[in-house]
Amino acid sequence: MNDLSMLANIAEIVGVIIVIGGLFFAILQMRQIRQQRRELAALELFRFFGNPEFAQAYRRVLHLPDGLSADDIRDSEDNLEDSAMLICTTMENIGVMTYQRIVPFKVVNNLIGASTGILWQKLEKWVTAVRAELNDPAAFEWFQWLAERLAEFDDSRGPAYETETDWQPAHTQQQF
């Protein structure tokens, strides 16, 4: 009977160790999945900007004077409003992904921080007109939110090619 009691105690201890090990493994897996999700979202963000249609719209809007009226954008002969719409919908998506913490704020700031503020300056009056026409104050709300958050948290560190000169790649072990 003593042997059976001792085996039961050992089995109980082994069971607890297996449960603790399982929990530890589950936590590691959850962290890994979260990291993969962030990396995929960052790649998606990069894909937005790698799109030739977006690049063309970006270039067109970037060269507009600040504060151009909605009528000026609409009356242009080269369909500037299509470019404005593409920029705003893209930035809206990025704003939502940033707010939901799908893409880390730092990644968004590093990739498009300055650009977002510039694009918002170029398109703010057009967005305001669209909101009034649609009677929807929430139109492109996440684009505006993103521009304001990026401006609010601007660290004014300067360009990376000047400030990150001491950067080193992470040390990785080569597997053979």
Side-chain angles (χ1 to χ4, degrees):
M1 194 64 129
N2 217 2
D3 291 337
L4 191 57
S5 176
M6 189 156 99
L7 284 175
N9 287 339
I10 290 172
E12 197 172 318
I13 291 170
V14 169
V16 168
I17 290 171
I18 289 172
V19 168
I20 291 171
L23 287 173
F24 181 71
F25 181 73
I27 289 169
L28 287 177
Q29 286 294 303
M30 287 172 39
R31 285 184 178 178
Q32 187 176 26
I33 289 169
R34 188 176 301 130
Q35 180 63 31
Q36 286 175 339
R37 191 177 106 200
R38 285 186 178 142
E39 289 170 2
L40 287 172
L43 286 172
E44 184 68 19
L45 180 64
F46 183 72
R47 193 176 66 85
F48 276 134
F49 286 87
N51 177 323
E53 188 179 338
F54 180 84
Q56 182 182 12
Y58 179 85
R59 181 182 49 76
R60 292 172 75 202
V61 170
L62 201 60
H63 292 293
L64 293 176
D66 288 351
L68 201 60
S69 76
D71 288 336
D72 290 337
I73 289 175
R74 288 187 178 128
D75 294 341
S76 71
E77 293 179 17
D78 53 355
N79 296 327
L80 274 177
E81 191 164 35
D82 291 342
S83 294
M85 184 62 74
L86 181 58
I87 294 292
C88 286
T89 55
T90 301
M91 299 309 284
E92 186 82 353
N93 288 329
I94 294 168
V96 170
M97 289 191 306
T98 304
Y99 176 77
Q100 294 294 330
R101 291 179 170 78
I102 295 169
V103 180
F105 184 81
K106 186 173 184 174
V107 171
V108 174
N109 191 28
N110 287 343
L111 285 175
I112 61 167
S115 300
T116 302
I118 293 167
L119 293 170
W120 178 250
Q121 285 177 329
K122 308 285 184 186
L123 297 174
E124 183 177 8
K125 286 186 178 179
W126 180 80
V127 169
T128 301
V130 169
R131 287 175 178 169
E133 291 164 9
L134 297 175
N135 194 25
D136 182 5
F140 304 119
E141 64 186 327
W142 293 109
F143 179 16
Q144 180 176 352
W145 176 88
L146 182 62
E148 289 173 356
R149 295 300 72 73
L150 288 166
E152 181 180 328
F153 294 104
D154 180 20
D155 57 8
S156 299
R157 61 175 174 75
Y161 60 85
E162 292 177 354
T163 62
E164 304 301 329
T165 57
D166 59 347
W167 179 88
Q168 295 290 318
H171 297 288
T172 58
Q173 294 179 348
Q174 292 182 357
Q175 295 180 1
F176 297 97

